[in-house]
Amino acid sequence: MAIAGTQRVEVADPAGVVAAAKNLSHRSFGPATAKYRELGTVANLLTFNRFRRLADAKLSTGAFEDAANLSGEELNAAHRVTRRSCAACTIGCEHIYESGGGEVRLEYESLFALGPLCGIGDRETVLKAAKLCDHYGLDTISTGAVSPSPWNVLSAAAQRRRAPVWQRRHDAVTN
């Protein structure tokens, strides 16, 4: 559903809305969100693995044997640079990691899709794949899900980018 308009909508209880927003902001600093502030959403990887809800490349076991190597704790210890927040967010669950002389953002969904879903348990490889996806404008989840090897998709993207402009336009029209 899409709603558009030019008139302002009155809020029945503006003071109540402000109070609720302040309360939510205050509660967001509590223990329930600590793991996201400290480790980002990648903290969910070990939890899902422990509950056997982390699919691997075979889509059969529900657990990934190299999950500990990709954990938020390991990523933060080896590669974390900083964290970023959405506007007005107090949690800052998006964490930025060092990879190959540059920075790459990584969240749980990207980590899962480019790691366990592809059978990849190496941190450096997952970070490099995420960085290449960002570089070529590819969705990390789709890239990891479309192939047992994200390198097939990334290689195709690199080849396409190097093609002459006329060839890319022709391909876009004919494909």
Side-chain angles (χ1 to χ4, degrees), residues 7 11 32 34 48 50 52 64 81 96 107-108 118 131 134 149 152 159 161 173:
Q7 296 179 346
V11 176
F48 291 150
R50 187 174 65 246
R52 303 190 63 77
F64 184 60
V81 175
I96 310 302
E107 296 174 354
Y108 167 76
C118 293
K131 187 174 181 180
D134 283 349
S149 172
N152 295 340
Q159 291 298 328
R161 190 173 187 141
V173 171

Side-chain angles (χ1 to χ4, degrees), residues 14-135:
V17 171
V18 170
K22 286 182 179 179
N23 180 29
L24 181 60
S25 177
H26 176 72
R27 288 188 302 146
S28 72
F29 285 107
T33 58
K35 74 176 185 176
Y36 297 116
R37 284 191 305 278
E38 295 163 10
L39 299 175
T41 58
V42 297
N44 291 329
L45 189 84
L46 289 182
T47 302
F48 291 150
N49 200 55
R50 187 174 65 246
F51 291 137
R52 303 190 63 77
R53 295 292 177 253
L54 185 65
D56 62 5
K58 299 173 195 132
L59 297 176
S60 59
T61 64
F64 184 60
E65 64 184 37
D66 293 325
N69 192 45
L70 297 176
S71 71
E73 292 84 356
E74 291 294 324
L75 279 165
N76 281 356
H79 299 283
R80 183 169 161 219
V81 175
T82 190
R83 68 184 179 131
R84 294 193 182 129
S85 301
C86 296
C89 178
T90 58
I91 298 172
C93 64
E94 182 177 89
H95 286 228
I96 310 302
Y97 300 94
E98 167 66 31
S99 176
E103 294 181 354
V104 60
R105 63 183 179 79
L106 193 66
E107 296 174 354
Y108 167 76
E109 296 82 3
S110 299
L111 176 64
F112 162 70
L114 297 172
L117 192 58
C118 293
I120 297 172
D122 179 66
R123 284 188 306 270
E124 293 293 333
T125 302
V126 172
L127 289 169
K128 183 176 179 183
K131 187 174 181 180
L132 286 169
C133 283
D134 283 349
H135 177 75

